[in-house]
Amino acid sequence: LALDEVLGALGDFVVTPEDCGLTPASIETLAGGGALENARLVDALLTVSGGPTRDVVCLNAGGALY
């Protein structure tokens, strides 16, 4: 659910990874695990350039800022 500032209306819309030039990732690729695996994912998110986890975080942050 989002407010479209151009139309001034409230409605639903879907944004796909392809709409933003991103490559889709499987749920298995994005899924976390135990504490150590999740810590590794967060570390990679903050230190590694690119990847599907960062793509999802940036896409969600962009949607929140919009």
Side-chain angles (χ1 to χ4, degrees):
L1 191 60
L3 177 61
D4 187 322
E5 292 192 31
V6 174
L7 299 176
L10 196 58
D12 293 330
F13 64 93
V14 175
V15 177
T16 67
E18 295 89 349
D19 293 336
C20 301
L22 302 173
T23 302
S26 69
I27 294 296
E28 293 79 19
T29 300
L30 300 172
L36 291 176
E37 175 64 13
N38 291 343
R40 186 194 66 76
L41 289 172
V42 170
D43 184 57
L45 173 68
L46 298 173
T47 60
V48 177
S49 178
T53 303
R54 178 170 285 180
D55 290 348
V56 169
V57 169
C58 290
L59 184 58
N60 282 319
L65 293 171
Y66 178 75

